[in-house]
Amino acid sequence: EEGASPEEGEVGAEFEATSRQLMDGRRLTGNTNQIGQFTPLSCNPVEFDCTGAAGLSESVVGGGPVVVPCGTCLVYDLGAEATIGGLNIIGKLLVPTNYKSTLSTPYVFVQGELEMSDDQPTISEDNTSMKIILTGNTDVMFTPHEPVAGAAPLNAGEKPFLVAGGKLNIRGWDDVEGSGKTWTPILAMAEADRLHPDPIVGETAARTALPHLKNPTITCPNKIVHDFEGGVDFSVWKGGDGNILSYDEANGALTATNLRLDSQGFRLDFTKLTKDCPITQGVTYLVTIRLKIEDPTLEDGAVSICETNNHKDHCPKLGRSIVKAEGKGWLYDKEVNLLPSSIGRNNEWFTFASEWTWDAVDLTDTVAQVLYLKNFKPGQIIHMDEFQFELPSTKAYAPVEDPCLELVVNGDAENADGRGWHHYPMWSGRTDRFIPTILEETVDGAVNKYWHIENRVWVGDSLRFHVNHQCFMLGSTYTVSLRARFTGKTHPVTYWFEIKGNTATKGYRYQKPLYCPSQSAADGWVTCSGDFVVDEYYEFTSSPEIILVTQDENDSTGYVDWDFDDVSIKFKSGPAAGLEVGGSDAARWAVNSDVHITSSTLHGQDAQDGRVKAVSQKANGNVVLELENPITPVFSEKETPGYGVEIAVTSRNIKIIGEDDGTYNGGYLQVFHTPGVAQVIEGVEFFNMGQSSRKNRFAIQLLYNGNVEGTSISSNSIRQSNMRCISVDGTANATIASNVGAGITGHCFYFDRVSADNMVIDNLASNLNNRINWNNRIDGWDDYDADGFAIWSPFNHFIGNVAAGGHKRGFRYYLDWRTLGEDLIQVGGTLRVSPIGTFKDNKAHSNFRQGFHLADLQQFFQFRDPENVPVFENLSAYRNREQGIYSYNCVYCKFIGGFLSDNQKGIEIRRSDGITLQDFVIQGQTELFKNYVNDNNSHKLCGHSSWTYEGIHMMGTLWRLGDQDPGFGLRVKNVVLSGFDKEKEYYDSCPSTEPIGLSTDTHYGAHFDYKTSFENVTVDDGRDIILDGCRAASYGYPDIVITDIDGSLDPDMSASSGALVSDQTYMTGLFGDSCKSTAGCMSYCAGVCLGMFTLFTERFGTENYKLKVTDTASGLSIDIPGNVRTYNERWNTYAYDGQRTFAASLPAGQYTAEFVDEFGNSVWPTYAEEQWAQAADCSGGVSIGDVTFIKPALDAATECADMIRNGDSANRTEVTPWIHTKWYGEIVNELKPGEGIGGGNAIAMDRTYHWTGIAQNLNSMCTDAREGEWYEFSAWMKMTDANGNPSTNIDPNREWWRNQAPIMTITDRQYRDVSTKQHLYNAEHRNLAALARPYNNDEWGHIHGIFKMPTSPRLWFELERAPDNVKFLLDSASLTPLTCNRDGLVRNGNLETNDSVYWDIWGGGDVVLDFLPGAGPNGGNALKSSSRVHHSWTQSQVLNTDCVNAGDRIAFSAKIKTSADCLIYSWDYNQRCNDIFFHTDKDNVREYHRVGYITADTPDEGGWHHVHGIHIHSENGEKPDLAKLYFADANPSWDVYTADVKAYVLEQNCQALVENPDMEEKDLYWTYTDRDRSKVKVITPGAGGSGHALRLYDRDHSWRGLRQVLDPRCFVPGHEFTINAKFRLTDALLAGVACAGTDCPSVVLYGRKCPNGDVREKFWNALDMPWDSEGWNNYEATFAVSDEIAACGSVELWIHEVIPSWNIEIDDVQIYANA
């Protein structure tokens, strides 16, 4: 599958959708790999001569199919409109140049040649020449004219334009000088004028003076003013209810006194005022009153009771009473409260403004009206300075002559009605709490008015205003601006400007054209402004309202009091009415040609289409294209040099069109399996081509044609494609140039894994849609991602292309780990290490995710050459929603030259090492783009609150840690970064903006080890931040080091080199005053070059440890804290990730390093892996060997007595320090109180996979001290299923790798090169302990084993390999020294432990090992091995032989039997008995010794044979890495039983050399000289009438006899020994026989492993006495040890050389030293 897994929520319909796809596949688009190759037809000439050719019309019969015969050339001569039943070109069809005709046909098959051309000087819909419309929705069958394997016939589906063996020569745009380009950058825009809508009375323009109703010649005033400057008209002003009105002549005010009731105040008889000028129904009137309330009980300036109580019932009210005609009653229809937020302080003037309307009820039968002002506190004195009643004037409306220049009226509060104090047309959404109030202040001698809002209880309580919706012209640009300040709270506040209302097509919209940054009360007035472009979301159906909505406020924090001023929405520019482009580029573009303009936003769907209305020439040689309809303004080269948008001409004079039949299945053009034929498809418009979600039904496809050198697919236009633009599959050496794809479903340009050597130049992909999703995808392809350029092959070349609007990515370059050919059949190995083709001068913008997605480029691993690596040159990526460049798993990739701007992240380097970034300009958020994009213009940057905004998003940890990997992270050279310091000003939702940011994608390193260097890097940041070290530390990078090669990062610009490091004492403490703190928690250290080493340690118990590093020259020290990566308990205890790291970055010098606890004591953190980074890109730096590591003292005898910590359940209260190897899930190791052995606390581990298990680190000081010593591992486990029931699938008899039972594995970390200590790897030693038998799944199982302790910087053991989904319960674990016992090398030899502890299996296979209680000799225990498939696979035991020296004799013995009778004296593998074998392995020198035999044919009761022998320990076997005893040679189909197994050292005794001389232990230590040539029997009585003797019988040669291995160390030259023995000779019937001379028995010493070969020394009986044929005969001989026998490594005693037919009976044999 090319793509990823389905998005969340899309899986439900997958089965149904997939089934539907498969059905379509069988019907239409099945596999094609089984179809053979098409070649030019043999019946056609190489070149056609069409001179005098007949017309095609002669072949047209009715509307049926038309065939151009093979070998024939026909000339197209059909009329302007022609419909046929199909066109099969087997010969050649020539369409005359510029021939105008529209041909409708269900198919076009080209097996011969099709030639057509257009050379008209301009491209226009008026100049359309040949148009082919592919029709129908039924399948078409194609039958090759000449047979082709697998293609007779071929279902071509619907609407095919199929080239199979034929040739296309279509030239609609010759690439000659002066022919222009198919697309070009827009150089500048010509703007349209703004709208001037007609004023609508009462809505967008002020009312004029109203005529008198009865006498139109009388004009009524627009306002009635009582300013009391010339007196008071007491005929209309009254006090009422006893209060007294008086005129204050000095102040020109009306005063009310003697107030006793809340109904008293001012009354205005409105009847007289409206007699001649009646009130107009439904019209808003303004009432403005200037008041002062004088309360004698309060100090002047004190807060009034209205404001104190903050409730309208305690505030004055303005009311209206209407008197109806007689019988109609009074109508109290309205009262308006003066709000606490508006009332002035005591004895201070303030304004009371209100709005009034009258409806029909108010005005019908009305004879009088009264306005009254009441609800004052008794005793107060009320002063009125002014009363004004008026219609809103022109001040309240936009100017009639230009109503759309400024949409906010009186936004600066300087020109209001009500003599400058009425809020209208501003209004309040919460009139019970506040109304906008105009206040004034004097600043620098100038008086300024502003708007004031207080008493707010909601974030949207603000100034409000209705905007003239008719002014919002699509594509026009407005500037929003205002000044604001607040009081009342100390916390910072942010806000946005909102325009909301009903729209024509988008419902009720809340538009947010302006977000303002956080400000505090101390900031005072803060200006906020920005531009927005009117789109369809601003097409309001009525006047929308503006509102200012705050953030950071709620009922808990309280709400601030706002002041606003200079509120403005002002026209900036009109929509684009014309577009200026290069004249030579648009040389063929003409009136009535269609054009496509790419997106200026983050989303490709903001691209636009238009039609050219006029073309005009400019003096500078450029041309202006005037479009029929204006478009939304776009970024041109004028505003954004180098990264403006593109315009493409999408019309072509030659057209191939898929008929629109209401489906997404248009036509398709496919060149199919046609190698070696050069196709020319140039200058064709493809419209409605491609078939959605159908395999191999793409707009244009080159399908497995192999080498097609000379092919040109160029200058075409692919519009509204239902599936891709151009798909190149299995085709090489084609030129794909200057094509335009716009409005595309699926990928636009696609290159499969085996496409190669294609030149892809100057193509444009724009506006890819999301019609394909996971459920309707083509199985195996990922068009649901819809990339502009989907590149799966490394072998093509991409130069000068533009991807503008990929639904996912612009360019996706992904190399697979396998090579898939046609129909996704694997045809080769990985593509990732292949060299890539040229990739340069490409641009990507307006893509939903990345501009460039570059993944899995590992060319370095093939060549190991830093110069032969992927190089990406001069890339430009701008205005992409996520990353400009996204580099994933790129190894040693180089990015040379480029421009990045307005991306969420300029370049993100993820899981990539060895990256070079050179010669780049990286811009952050530009103000131009910020002002252009609003929240409805698809998407803004910082679209998610967790997204940081960064120029370079780099790794903090190396991802590849192998010795063959690059070893460095990032090199940055000649790079300029700017514009990353505006996060709060531009987008408050961004958590941060930084020139350089670090990824949270860390590994177990838990600190910064991504070796990075900068050279000639400029960071322009007003905050002086390069990267935020504090944020990086929260990600797990507290110790950043960036090498500054040339000092360009020095904020003082004085250093010639240095390093930018985390501002921590442990980073800078050794450098004196060389370091200075910089912004962002960083420090710049001048003149230092830092090398780095890291110590990885145990996590548990080291929380307070520090690594104390001391400069031995200066004596200065730093205490480096440990760092861990903390996610959850699973990660914290994960064996591969849960480590603590201590990293030191130091200059060259000599240092000591020591772990100390919080009290300064020397400590050890269980283990410490020392790992060195590659040398920095500077001269100097600490290096390996410069640091001496100090360790605390260790008492190995006590501290290493049991290396497992927290192993005993009796005292267990937690699970630490147990770890695990489980990389999934959340629950891992859990304490289980009371569930251990004997009611203790056990540890449970939840598992899913067999390779995971519970583990623990070992103390490396102990492993160092005890390296090479033997240890015994023991643990008890229960195994359960997911439900806690005993597991029934545990089988300890299966081989460990079959994962059927737990084993113990030791993992140790080893250096690849100890001289550099840069790289470590894991060495696993498996099956060192296994499950003992018997195993009962209801009970605790015993895991046991012994092994030699390895050592390494880190070593841990793990219990693993039980079946999947088996859960562990662990208890009583120990790892203790195992002492070598010379008297008992075999442990549990008689199975006294009642289980198989110490025993396992030799060999492979699933040998069954059973413990058999009571089945051994004399009722003892026994072991049985069964299911053997090899003669050597039997029970075995690892032995600790470290106390056995070279030359020592080891005696082996055991009781053994088999399930079938074996032949003791046979070498036949099918019949022989088992022997004892002893194996040693030392430094990979392996020895196998047969050390024990069944000598006598006298088994014990129950058939138990005694197998035994003596082995001289070799030098290679001394202290081996492994020593093992096993039993071999029995028939593999037999079961083998063993018991009473022993191995022990025979201590040197040179006084008596023979073991078991009197045969009282029967045949022990004795054996035959030849296995299959004689037999041995134990007989009784022996010599002397009691005991045992041995009889050697059935001898086939005189040489057959008995032997015993002697101790060769006793044979010293010259030493004298005496041999004594007793012999008897019998015949076959056991009758005694007599011997004489050399026929009598002798004793021979055989020396082996002698310097000059074997030595044989024979000794005859020295006693001179006759032979007693019926009794025992004494033997004696004395000898001195010769030099030859003394030099031998092995000496054996042999008794033989007697007549073969005689039996030799032997007893009391001994060799005594005479000294």
Side-chain angles (χ1 to χ4, degrees), residues 1645-1693:
L1645 293 180
Y1646 265 102
R1648 303 184 187 278
K1649 302 179 182 179
C1650 310
N1652 297 313
D1654 291 350
V1655 175
R1656 181 175 180 270
E1657 295 183 357
K1658 184 175 183 179
F1659 304 101
W1660 294 101
N1661 193 348
L1663 298 176
D1664 187 13
M1665 59 180 63
W1667 187 265
D1668 182 359
S1669 61
E1670 298 300 327
W1672 289 92
N1673 297 277
N1674 291 324
Y1675 169 91
E1676 182 177 299
T1678 298
F1679 68 94
V1681 176
S1682 67
D1683 291 340
E1684 289 80 9
I1685 202 77
C1688 296
S1690 172
V1691 178
E1692 296 180 358
L1693 166 68

Side-chain angles (χ1 to χ4, degrees), residues 17 445 478 681 902 996 1243 1418 1472 1547:
Y478 276 86
I681 308 172
D902 293 299
I996 301 168
I1243 298 175
N1418 303 315
R1472 67 187 182 184
E1547 298 298 344

Side-chain angles (χ1 to χ4, degrees), residues 1306-1346:
I1306 289 281
T1307 300
D1308 69 280
R1309 299 269 289 160
Q1310 299 289 345
Y1311 290 107
R1312 292 284 181 194
D1313 183 349
V1314 74
S1315 67
T1316 63
K1317 292 188 177 180
Q1318 289 181 355
H1319 307 285
L1320 294 101
Y1321 65 94
N1322 292 337
E1324 293 185 318
H1325 312 277
R1326 290 197 174 98
N1327 203 27
L1328 297 180
L1331 195 60
R1333 287 72 149 181
Y1335 170 70
N1336 187 327
N1337 57 18
D1338 290 320
E1339 299 175 356
W1340 289 90
H1342 191 189
I1343 299 176
H1344 183 273
I1346 68 170

Side-chain angles (χ1 to χ4, degrees), residues 709-898:
E709 187 173 356
T711 290
S712 173
I713 314 293
S714 302
S715 302
N716 300 291
S717 164
I718 303 98
R719 305 170 60 188
Q720 306 305 315
S721 170
N722 302 300
M723 203 67 188
R724 297 189 186 170
C725 300
I726 300 174
S727 186
V728 180
D729 303 86
T731 301
N733 286 304
T735 297
I736 316 293
S738 300
N739 298 285
V740 174
I744 308 301
T745 297
H747 303 306
C748 190
F749 297 93
Y750 178 90
F751 299 85
D752 86 332
R753 295 166 176 83
V754 292
S755 61
D757 297 316
N758 298 292
M759 299 298 297
V760 187
I761 305 172
D762 292 338
N763 298 282
L764 172 65
S766 175
N767 190 14
L768 281 69
N769 61 54
N770 62 349
R771 193 180 300 156
I772 303 297
N773 57 48
W774 180 266
N775 291 325
N776 66 1
R777 74 195 188 283
I778 306 171
D779 274 349
W781 282 264
D782 67 344
D783 289 85
Y784 49 80
D785 276 351
D787 303 323
F789 293 77
I791 306 167
W792 290 79
S793 166
F795 306 118
N796 300 298
H797 308 278
F798 297 86
I799 303 170
N801 302 283
V802 174
H807 174 59
K808 281 295 179 68
R809 311 167 186 91
F811 293 82
R812 185 193 187 198
Y813 209 135
Y814 171 79
L815 299 185
D816 205 346
W817 56 270
R818 66 223 159 135
T819 303
L820 301 182
E822 193 166 7
D823 302 322
L824 299 184
I825 295 172
Q826 185 164 350
V827 296
T830 181
L831 290 167
R832 294 178 176 176
V833 299
S834 301
I836 72 168
T838 302
F839 197 97
K840 68 178 183 179
D841 301 332
N842 297 299
K843 294 185 176 184
H845 68 86
S846 306
N847 297 288
F848 186 74
R849 295 194 65 186
Q850 297 94 18
F852 296 90
H853 179 109
L854 311 171
D856 296 309
L857 299 158
Q858 301 174 356
Q859 178 178 336
F860 173 74
F861 292 139
Q862 179 176 167
F863 302 101
R864 304 287 176 189
D865 180 357
E867 299 303 318
N868 191 354
V869 293
V871 178
F872 298 93
E873 301 177 72
N874 194 30
L875 303 187
S876 294
Y878 40 91
R879 301 190 294 273
N880 297 288
R881 182 171 173 264
E882 296 183 13
Q883 300 89 349
I885 301 173
Y886 180 78
S887 166
Y888 184 89
N889 190 26
C890 293
V891 182
Y892 238 122
C893 292
K894 293 184 177 181
F895 297 91
I896 309 297

